[in-house]
Coordinates of all heavy atoms in Angstrom, one line a residue:
N8 N 15.4 38.8 16.0 CA 14.1 38.3 16.3 C 13.3 39.2 17.2 O 12.1 39.5 17.0 CB 14.2 36.9 16.9 CG 14.3 35.8 15.9 OD1 13.9 36.1 14.7 ND2 14.8 34.7 16.3
F30 N 15.4 27.4 15.6 CA 15.8 28.4 14.6 C 17.0 29.2 15.2 O 17.9 29.5 14.5 CB 14.7 29.4 14.3 CG 13.6 28.7 13.5 CD1 12.2 29.0 13.8 CD2 13.8 27.9 12.4 CE1 11.2 28.4 13.1 CE2 12.8 27.4 11.6 CZ 11.5 27.6 12.0
T54 N 34.0 15.0 8.6 CA 34.7 15.4 9.8 C 34.1 14.7 11.0 O 32.9 14.4 11.0 CB 34.5 17.0 10.0 OG1 33.1 17.3 10.0 CG2 35.2 17.8 8.9
G86 N 13.1 14.0 -0.6 CA 11.7 14.3 -0.2 C 10.9 13.0 -0.2 O 11.3 12.0 -0.8
S88 N 8.4 12.2 -1.9 CA 8.1 11.8 -3.2 C 9.1 10.8 -3.8 O 8.7 9.9 -4.7 CB 7.9 13.0 -4.1 OG 6.9 13.8 -3.6
M92 N 8.9 6.0 -5.2 CA 9.5 5.1 -6.2 C 10.6 4.2 -5.5 O 10.7 3.0 -5.9 CB 10.1 5.8 -7.4 CG 11.5 6.4 -7.0 SD 12.4 6.9 -8.5 CE 13.4 8.2 -7.8
K102 N 6.9 -9.4 -11.2 CA 5.8 -10.4 -11.2 C 4.9 -10.3 -9.9 O 3.9 -10.9 -9.9 CB 6.4 -11.8 -11.2 CG 7.3 -12.1 -12.4 CD 7.9 -13.5 -12.4 CE 8.7 -13.8 -11.1 NZ 9.9 -12.9 -10.8
A104 N 2.8 -8.5 -6.6 CA 1.9 -7.5 -6.3 C 2.1 -6.9 -4.9 O 2.5 -7.6 -4.0 CB 0.5 -8.0 -6.4
N137 N -14.7 11.8 -1.5 CA -13.8 13.1 -1.4 C -12.7 12.9 -0.4 O -12.3 13.9 0.2 CB -14.7 14.3 -1.0 CG -14.9 15.2 -2.1 OD1 -14.0 15.2 -3.0 ND2 -16.0 15.9 -2.1
Y153 N 3.7 -6.2 0.3 CA 3.6 -5.3 1.5 C 2.3 -4.6 1.4 O 1.6 -4.6 0.3 CB 4.8 -4.3 1.5 CG 5.0 -3.4 0.3 CD1 4.3 -2.3 0.1 CD2 6.0 -3.8 -0.6 CE1 4.5 -1.5 -1.0 CE2 6.2 -3.0 -1.7 CZ 5.5 -1.8 -1.9 OH 5.7 -1.0 -3.0
T157 N -0.9 5.8 4.0 CA -0.5 7.1 4.4 C -1.1 7.4 5.7 O -2.3 7.5 5.8 CB -0.9 8.2 3.4 OG1 -0.7 7.7 2.0 CG2 -0.3 9.5 3.6
T158 N -0.3 7.4 6.8 CA -0.9 7.5 8.1 C -1.7 8.8 8.4 O -2.7 8.7 9.1 CB 0.2 7.4 9.2 OG1 1.2 8.3 8.9 CG2 0.7 6.0 9.3
D184 N 2.7 13.1 10.1 CA 2.4 12.9 11.5 C 3.6 12.2 12.2 O 3.4 11.7 13.4 CB 1.1 12.2 11.8 CG 0.9 10.8 11.2 OD1 1.8 10.4 10.5 OD2 -0.1 10.2 11.5
S194 N 6.3 -2.4 14.5 CA 5.4 -3.2 13.8 C 5.4 -2.9 12.3 O 4.8 -3.6 11.4 CB 3.9 -3.1 14.3 OG 3.5 -1.8 14.0
V211 N 15.4 16.6 3.3 CA 15.9 15.3 3.8 C 14.7 14.5 4.2 O 13.6 15.0 4.5 CB 16.8 15.5 5.0 CG1 16.1 16.1 6.2 CG2 17.5 14.2 5.4
M265 N 11.1 18.0 25.6 CA 9.7 18.2 25.8 C 9.0 17.0 26.5 O 7.9 17.0 26.8 CB 8.9 18.5 24.5 CG 9.3 19.7 23.8 SD 8.9 21.2 24.7 CE 7.1 21.2 24.6

Side-chain angles (χ1 to χ4, degrees):
N8 275 341
F30 290 136
T54 56
S88 303
M92 79 164 154
K102 301 178 305 296
N137 251 333
Y153 59 82
T157 313
T158 50
D184 65 353
S194 66
V211 67
M265 297 295 290

